[in-house]
Structures are given as structure tokens and as C-alpha cells.
């Protein structure tokens, strides 16, 4: 038994990200990041000012398939663990969403975390 479908892996550019509606009442979505066959997911909520990471709705910038960048003050977060490695919230981390990739589908592996 697998959790809710977030998106298809192939719908995310390799080294890029997409934003998925997670059903949170306040509209907080989930950012799904891809590198090759690997994917990670985090709440779309920056630990700096608790706002979304998007530049444009649904668009989150990534660099070199390694980090994603918050639109507001350019904090850089590692794909693998969501840790901020540079910027005003260095050392803080995005809130992880447990996922699995099954048959090319990115699915929740557990319940959705609460929005901080
Ligand atoms: S709100 Fe994200 S870096 Fe400031």
C-alpha cells in the first residue's frame, strides 16, 4: 500500500523542482526535487520567514542539481536534507515530507507534516 500520489517523476526536470498542492488548508504546497532517479520533498515553507519558496507560483529555482533557492532572500538549501548552507537562515532546514518513488510515481510514504 502506498501513500497519496504527488506527481510523476518524469514531470520534474532533472535537477529541478515542482510544487504540488498538498491539501493544507492554508495552501502550503510540497516542493518535490529531482536528480536523476532520486527525489526529495519538503514543505514549501522557508524556515527564514515562514513564506513559500516560489519565484512565481509553482516555480522554485534550483542550481546545478544540488541546491534550491528561496525567492525572498536567496537562502540555498541542499537537495538531500533540506539544510540551508548559505543565506540568512544558514543551519536551519526545510520540513521534510517522506516520499517514495514507485513505478515512476512520487508518492507520500507517511502522513503529511503539519505546517510550522
Ligand atoms: S524568506 Fe526565505 S530566505 Fe528569507
Amino acid at each position: 500500500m502506498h501513500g497519496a500520489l504527488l506527481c510523476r517523476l518524469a514531470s520534474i526536470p532533472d535537477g529541478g523542482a515542482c510544487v504540488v498542492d498538498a491539501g493544507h488548508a492554508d495552501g502550503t504546497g510540497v516542493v518535490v526535487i529531482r536528480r536523476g532517479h532520486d527525489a526529495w520533498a519538503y514543505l514549501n515553507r522557508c524556515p527564514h520567514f515562514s513564506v513559500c519558496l516560489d519565484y512565481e507560483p509553482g516555480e522554485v529555482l534550483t542550481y546545478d542539481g544540488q541546491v534550491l533557492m528561496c525567492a525572498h532572500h536567496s537562502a540555498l538549501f541542499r537537495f538531500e536534507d533540506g539544510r540551508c548552507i548559505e543565506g540568512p537562515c544558514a543551519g536551519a532546514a526545510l520540513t521534510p515530507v517522506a516520499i517514495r518513488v514507485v513505478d515512476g510515481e512520487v508518492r507520500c510514504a507517511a502522513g503529511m507534516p503539519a505546517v510550522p
Side-chain angles (χ1 to χ4, degrees), residues 1-59:
M1 189 72 178
H2 304 295
L5 175 66
L6 292 174
C7 62
R8 293 198 59 79
L9 190 65
S11 69
I12 311 167
D14 194 358
C18 72
V19 180
V20 179
D21 180 359
H24 281 116
D26 71 351
T28 300
V30 171
V31 179
V32 186
I33 309 161
R34 175 186 173 199
R35 183 190 304 135
H37 297 293
D38 294 323
W40 300 267
Y42 301 96
L43 289 183
N44 187 11
R45 179 64 55 123
C46 181
H48 184 213
F49 277 172
S50 293
V51 293
C52 67
L53 301 154
D54 313 37
Y55 277 78
E56 299 286 338
E59 292 204 13

Side-chain angles (χ1 to χ4, degrees), residues 45-53 69-77 84 86-89:
R45 179 64 55 123
C46 181
H48 184 213
F49 277 172
S50 293
V51 293
C52 67
L53 301 154
M69 186 165 93
C70 178
H72 301 282
H73 311 102
S74 305
L76 299 176
F77 300 91
C84 178
E86 189 178 315
C89 51

